[in-house]
Amino acid sequence: QVQLVQSGSELKKPGASVKVSCKASGHSFNVFGITWVRQAPGQGLEWVGWISAYNGDSNYAQNFQGRVSMTTDTSTTTVYMELSSLRSDDTAIYFCARSEPLIGESLIYWGQGTLVTVSS
Amino acid sequence: EIVLTQSPGTLSLSPGERATLSCRASQSVRSSYLAWYQQKPGQAPRLLIYGASTRATGIPDRFSGSGSGTDFTLTISRLEPEDFAVYYCQHYAGSPMYTFGQGTKLEI
């Protein structure tokens, strides 16, 4: 079955960068895209961006333009999200998710989440 | 950019009661791209409803979705203890791009 397994928690200082990984299995990796969603403590869900595992095309939310970069490694079926110039309000759980085109691109498969804490 | 507004922010009900959650879009959206998720503490969101009204695999039939245009509803016919959670509506706008509502907390 489809599984998305994310890397472990990170503690970073303001101004630093963080790179979170999402290893996919159980499906044809380069057929689907991967979406990243974050959730600040006690807050709702916020779309961060998307990357195609087919050709590397990406689309980022305006709030993150210039600070986020998503990449793929087809040899390890892993997707990466790097966020730079970290601020305290980037403290959040970051989820990767995969959509299903046949059901309106709804996000049917989710990783377990990675807690990123930004603190001096 | 489409904004999704969910109401109420918090809904206090008891097991066995009926829950009605609302999601309003700032402009008309295609029903086929409207979904609902359930999230429990410490867990990733779980897809409940896609295409505004179709239950995802394994979702009990006490969950139902309806609506079109700008107004969508998630109904839980008879609340079970495990249904107390936060619920989000979500719209896919192509590009790809996703928008989420701010969530409704369903509490006992």
Side-chain angles (χ1 to χ4, degrees):
Chain A
Q1 75 277 22
V2 176
Q3 281 194 305
L4 301 174
V5 178
Q6 298 183 227
S7 49
S9 299
E10 300 269 9
L11 174 61
K12 295 292 183 181
K13 294 189 184 302
S17 298
V18 68
K19 194 170 187 177
V20 180
S21 68
C22 172
K23 181 172 174 58
S25 62
H27 71 251
S28 298
F29 179 73
N30 59 1
V31 172
F32 299 96
I34 293 291
T35 291
W36 289 88
V37 174
R38 79 174 185 182
Q39 186 169 40
Q43 302 301 309
L45 303 172
E46 181 181 21
W47 179 68
V48 178
W50 168 90
I51 185 166
S52 167
Y54 172 68
N55 59 11
D57 282 352
S58 59
N59 190 34
Y60 305 138
Q62 195 154 3
N63 286 350
F64 301 95
Q65 293 275 357
R67 286 205 304 138
V68 69
S69 175
M70 296 177 187
T71 56
T72 65
D73 182 341
T74 55
S75 67
T76 60
T77 65
T78 301
V79 177
Y80 298 91
M81 183 212 63
E82 185 168 20
L83 189 61
S84 61
S85 303
L86 288 168
R87 309 184 292 251
S88 58
D89 62 1
D90 290 318
T91 294
I93 298 173
Y94 290 76
F95 294 100
C96 61
R98 204 212 86 183
S99 61
E100 174 52 62
L102 296 178
I103 58 170
E105 301 290 356
S106 301
L107 299 169
I108 188 169
Y109 303 107
W110 292 75
Q112 82 276 19
T114 296
L115 174 62
V116 175
T117 303
V118 183
S119 174
S120 55
Chain B
E1 181 181 325
I2 292 171
V3 176
L4 299 178
T5 302
Q6 293 187 238
S7 61
T10 302
L11 185 58
S12 299
L13 294 170
S14 299
E17 291 192 296
R18 180 185 185 92
T20 302
L21 288 66
S22 173
C23 175
R24 177 162 289 178
S26 57
Q27 58 188 278
S28 185
V29 301
R30 288 181 61 178
S31 299
S32 53
Y33 292 131
L34 194 286
W36 290 91
Y37 299 82
Q38 176 194 68
Q39 188 181 33
K40 297 180 180 179
Q43 296 184 15
R46 174 195 184 196
L47 178 65
L48 294 176
I49 300 284
Y50 61 89
S53 61
T54 304
R55 282 187 300 277
T57 301
I59 302 303
D61 60 7
R62 64 180 181 272
F63 291 90
S64 64
S66 63
S68 63
T70 60
D71 291 304
F72 298 88
T73 301
L74 174 69
T75 302
I76 311 171
S77 58
R78 295 172 309 279
L79 286 166
E80 297 286 344
E82 62 268 27
D83 299 336
F84 292 91
V86 180
Y87 293 83
Y88 296 94
C89 59
Q90 168 256 302
H91 175 250
Y92 172 76
S95 294
M97 185 170 72
Y98 292 83
T99 303
F100 293 92
Q102 82 280 19
T104 290
K105 181 179 182 180
L106 179 55
E107 65 177 24
I108 298 178

